[in-house]
Amino acid sequence: MSEDTYDYVIVGGGTAGSVIASRLTENPDVTVAVIEGGPSDIDRDDVLTLRRWLGLLGGDLDYGYTTTEQPRGNSHILHSRAKVLGGCSSHNTLISFKPLPGDWDEWAAAGAEGWDHKAMDPYFSKLRNNIVPVDAKDRNAIASDFVEAAQSATGVPRVEGFNKGPFKDGVGFFDLAYHPDNNKRSSASVAYLHPHMEAGDRPNLTLLLETWAYKLEFDSSDEGLTARGVRVRGKDGVEKLISARTEVLVCAGAVDTPRLLMHSGIGPKADLEALGIPVLHDLPGVGENLLDHPESVIVWETNGPIPENSAMDSDAGLFIQRDPEAAGPDLMFHFYQIPFTDNPERLGYEQPEHGVSMTPNIPKPKSRGRVYLTSADPEVKPALDFRYFTDEDDYDGKTLVDGIKIAREIAKTEPLAGWLKREVCPGPDITDDEALSEYARKVAHTVYHPAGTCRIGAADDELAVVDPQLKVRGLNSIRIADASVFPTMPAVNPMIGVLMVGEKCAELLGGDA
């Protein structure tokens, strides 16, 4: 097998990987290879145009993971993971929230020393993405009326610029990482890699696109196991070893990072042995603590067509703090200017020609799942068991029931009420908590926020996979930087948190160098 050598090898040219690659190669003496399974996003209007995001789901740029049977939830969710440069920041809606102070402080309390909000806040100002409020021309009239009605119905404040300061509740238009003049993304790849790809001014940066990393390579010595590099397979089927003189950085996301570790013999010993995978390092937390932001949906038919101007059809939202003891909001809604009936249709509901949706979302879910292998063959997709709605006190399920009730109150309130013809699903006849819970759970979907499967933690945390320097416990010259290191879920959409993890990782690497 041929071998190419660089100072740093990054697995995954996604949200965090793009940041780290760009920052490391600011030093012209440092060479970096980025291994990315998908193609470039340059000149791909289907990717770069933000409002076309829905068309990417389930397509050829989607790894298309599914979930195992979910007895209390929806077993038919497509967990889209982006197969393209920029990762999920090239796939998602680019809703951009700086994590709230309580989110980071929760990490510090979970053993992530140095990750409290005072330590993390400076990384937000380092981000290169064009993070701006939804532009005036993109503020759809029905979304504006949703904001006004939600404020009246719930009493929460109107927020103009959610990133201006911490909040516990509020309603308004989101901040997005986009360019309003042409509706183009300001994804991780656009902000951090495109300038150098187009100018050709980073000869020390090598992008290995459409290249699949299937196994990590280690050397054994008296000092223990040291990451040597990554075995890859190119689009042409040729296999190579991409070696790192300094460190390997795994940034493949909350599904593919634990997948790669386990196929390399790093993970829960008994599980690997059962599949016949030679165990290099018993690390029981790999694949555990799978987090997500589940949300349900309530859909209305409108009295006619909806104005077509929008940034990405889900430009406004609502946060509510039901528990005054909570550190931040504990119920969220996205407002979709489309009738989002993909999952209700499975229960027999029909999509109206014109409609809107509210999606009650669980900012701080209590349920925890896991990612695990079912085969020693790296080509076989891992199993994702989110264990939706399995928390002991049914906090998650009750949150969605509360959400549907609040959504109905907003829908009765002007000026939104004047747009709405009828509630399509669950339908006005479903009113008791048990029936609402069953509906809410069976049509629940993901907002594509898997996290937590290689969590950061203290030295005495047996299920922590990385330490506060993002180094994999018990191994040398390898770190993880992506959503898999989240010990707990931020209350807000996590993309900015992942970018900040990338910025912090780059700084840690610079300090160590």
Side-chain angles (χ1 to χ4, degrees):
M1 182 182 291
S2 63
E3 183 173 344
D4 294 341
T5 303
Y6 303 84
D7 293 320
Y8 293 91
V9 175
I10 299 172
V11 182
T15 307
S18 296
V19 174
I20 298 166
S22 183
R23 292 300 188 190
L24 287 176
T25 53
E26 288 172 0
N27 181 345
D29 297 326
V30 170
T31 58
V32 174
V34 178
I35 301 163
E36 167 54 45
S40 172
D41 58 335
I42 285 182
D43 295 329
R44 292 282 305 246
D45 279 349
D46 57 332
V47 175
L48 295 175
T49 304
L50 176 56
R51 204 174 177 193
R52 294 177 67 178
W53 70 276
L54 265 172
L56 298 171
L57 307 185
D60 62 345
L61 301 181
D62 186 351
Y63 284 106
Y65 294 113
T66 54
T67 185
T68 61
E69 185 71 24
Q70 300 294 298
R72 295 202 80 240
N74 180 359
S75 305
H76 306 279
I77 299 172
L78 179 71
H79 285 272
S80 292
R81 300 283 84 202
K83 188 179 184 180
V84 63
L85 194 64
C88 290
S89 72
S90 292
H91 232 224
N92 64 18
T93 56
L94 292 178
I95 296 170
S96 298
F97 288 103
K98 180 169 78 169
L100 298 170
D103 294 328
W104 293 123
D105 291 345
E106 199 172 57
W107 285 32
E113 186 179 348
W115 292 76
D116 58 276
H117 84 274
K118 287 183 179 175
M120 292 304 296
D121 264 6
Y123 295 104
F124 180 72
S125 60
K126 290 187 173 189
L127 300 183
R128 293 179 179 168
N129 311 74
N130 191 54
I131 299 169
V132 293
V134 170
D135 193 71
K137 68 176 171 50
D138 294 329
R139 297 195 175 203
N140 190 293
I142 194 169
S144 297
D145 286 350
F146 157 78
V147 171
E148 190 175 331
Q151 185 179 3
S152 297
T154 65
V156 304
R158 168 78 183 256
V159 176
E160 189 57 60
F162 279 101
N163 289 315
K164 289 181 177 175
F167 60 91
K168 293 190 173 182
D169 53 19
V171 63
F173 283 89
F174 298 134
D175 284 4
L176 306 178
Y178 86 130
H179 297 281
D181 56 322
N182 58 9
N183 194 243
K184 295 302 187 198
R185 292 179 178 273
S186 183
S187 62
S189 51
V190 169
Y192 283 87
L193 297 179
H194 283 203
H196 311 299
M197 295 166 73
E198 290 162 351
D201 61 357
R202 292 278 172 95
N204 54 335
L205 173 61
T206 300
L207 299 178
L208 302 173
L209 299 170
E210 297 182 87
T211 301
W212 185 50
Y214 63 91
K215 192 175 183 182
L216 298 164
E217 193 82 4
F218 290 86
D219 287 335
S220 181
S221 68
D222 293 342
E223 296 175 358
L225 289 168
T226 300
R228 178 183 166 199
V230 188
R231 292 190 195 181
V232 304
R233 185 177 302 128
K235 187 181 181 181
D236 55 7
V238 174
E239 298 191 353
K240 269 188 176 181
L241 178 65
I242 310 298
S243 294
R245 296 184 193 95
T246 307
E247 285 199 35
V248 173
L249 305 162
V250 185
C251 308
V255 176
D256 282 307
T257 285
R259 175 191 193 178
L260 179 61
L261 290 176
M262 289 187 283
H263 278 298
S264 307
I266 301 154
K269 182 180 179 181
D271 289 2
L272 300 181
E273 286 178 340
L275 294 172
I277 297 173
V279 179
L280 276 185
H281 182 49
D282 181 18
L283 201 54
V286 174
E288 296 295 326
N289 192 48
L290 176 60
L291 307 168
D292 193 15
H293 275 147
E295 69 178 20
S296 195
V297 64
I298 178 167
V299 181
W300 289 267
E301 182 179 10
T302 53
N303 285 312
I306 295 161
E308 291 189 0
N309 63 307
S310 177
M312 51 75 185
D313 296 317
S314 177
D315 307 318
L318 165 68
F319 291 89
I320 290 175
Q321 185 186 46
R322 298 165 302 159
D323 177 4
E325 301 299 313
D330 55 17
L331 178 60
M332 183 206 180
F333 297 80
H334 298 81
F335 180 73
Y336 283 89
Q337 294 124 244
I338 50 176
F340 197 48
T341 56
D342 293 14
N343 290 295
E345 285 172 34
R346 199 174 292 108
L347 302 185
Y349 293 98
E350 293 185 5
Q351 184 181 67
E353 184 178 0
H354 306 292
V356 293
S357 317
M358 286 186 229
T359 54
N361 176 295
I362 310 164
K364 291 289 184 181
K366 306 286 188 190
S367 300
R368 298 286 185 274
R370 65 188 286 249
V371 173
Y372 60 96
L373 302 182
T374 61
S375 169
D377 181 355
E379 299 272 5
V380 176
K381 290 181 182 181
L384 280 61
D385 182 5
F386 282 87
R387 301 188 72 240
Y388 289 127
F389 310 110
T390 57
D391 56 299
E392 193 173 334
D393 299 323
D394 195 28
Y395 168 89
D396 292 0
K398 289 173 183 172
T399 299
L400 295 187
V401 171
D402 286 353
I404 289 177
K405 291 177 178 177
I406 291 168
R408 283 173 165 169
E409 291 304 311
I410 296 168
K412 291 179 195 170
T413 305
E414 293 294 354
L416 181 61
W419 290 86
L420 306 182
K421 183 176 181 181
R422 67 184 178 99
E423 181 185 311
V424 176
C425 45
D429 295 340
I430 297 181
T431 54
D432 69 273
D433 285 5
E434 190 175 334
L436 286 174
S437 174
E438 183 174 3
Y439 162 82
R441 289 182 286 106
K442 293 302 179 191
V443 305
H445 57 272
T446 180
V447 213
Y448 313 106
H449 296 167
T453 49
C454 294
R455 80 177 191 219
I456 193 171
D460 60 355
D461 180 353
E462 291 183 3
L463 291 179
V465 175
V466 298
D467 67 15
Q469 283 69 51
L470 301 176
K471 295 178 179 178
V472 179
R473 292 175 53 176
L475 300 175
N476 302 314
S477 302
I478 180 168
R479 300 188 209 221
I480 298 171
D482 56 29
S484 71
V485 305
F486 287 26
T488 58
M489 185 63 95
V492 294
N493 302 53
M495 181 188 71
I496 296 298
V498 178
L499 290 166
M500 291 168 72
V501 167
E503 288 281 7
K504 174 147 181 149
C505 181
E507 189 176 280
L508 290 169
L509 291 164
D512 281 5

